[in-house]
Amino acid sequence: APAPAPAPTPAPIDSAPVHAPAAEPSYPAVPETVQEDEPAAPAAADVPPPRAPDEQTFFSLLPQPFDDEGIYEGENIRTEAFLNACRGILPVLDVLGPTTFAPVKSDISGNIAKLAARLQADPLQNVTLQNMVRLEMMKRTTKATGSATDALLWLKRALEFICVFLKQVGEVTDESLSGPAGVAYSATLSRYHGWMVRGIFSLAMKSVPYRRDFLAGLGPAAPEIVLADMHRFADALDRVLTTLKTFYLDNKLDDPSVV
């Protein structure tokens, strides 16, 4: 029988080598610690311990302090947060004298109510105090009766009185607070008051409590703790008031009229 024909030579394949299936890539193990570009949580030692009840002060318990980050929106002041902070400060006037300072408290409360009503009427347009006033500037109603511009102006002035007074309390050691109250009034409200209103405030200045009683009325903490909290509060309030004062001066809205 004839010999079998030789098997045909296979056609050459492309010169590209045939690769074995690629192995699964090997990734470095993910560390369990926080990555370098993320801030690490503070150590327990860095977090101040909560205060004991007898170390609390009026200022440490404020639900909306003036130094809270929610107060500002850029360079503007959020209306709702500002008004909540203003409401929180009213009890200080009760400590000064619930009867003699009742007119000041009533004036502050009334101006808060006016601004709150404007915010409620249009929350988007009045989200910041500056927006609220600018809206009246556009409508040329800043001097209209009951304007938000006027309400905020007088609220600012009353807060300036409180701010200067609290700073004075921290700077003097005299037990009588009539001096600090008089300095605060002369530096803030006096120039806008006629003789009748000045007379009312003159009586109020003489009826303020002694320093030790005033500090005791602001919480059970030791006087030095109350004073430290008061200092921080006044500094934060001062920054807010400086922002408002600059805004009013820049826009020529600081009406010097006497009432």
Side-chain angles (χ1 to χ4, degrees), residues 144-156:
T145 302
S147 71
T149 303
D150 184 68
L152 180 57
L153 176 63
W154 282 103
L155 178 56
K156 175 182 74 69

Side-chain angles (χ1 to χ4, degrees), residues 29 37 56 61 67 75 92 114 124 126 144 164 171 179 214 227 230 233 253:
D37 58 346
Q56 296 287 2
L61 295 173
D67 58 355
E75 296 182 356
V92 169
K114 291 177 184 177
L124 292 179
N126 299 301
V164 174
E171 293 173 3
F214 178 67
L227 287 169
M230 182 190 300
F233 174 86
L253 297 170

Side-chain angles (χ1 to χ4, degrees), residues 231-249:
H231 178 75
R232 283 190 292 270
F233 174 86
D235 280 350
L237 174 57
D238 193 25
R239 286 191 292 272
V240 172
L241 293 173
T242 298
T243 299
L244 291 175
K245 182 177 180 179
T246 301
F247 176 74
Y248 268 73
L249 290 175

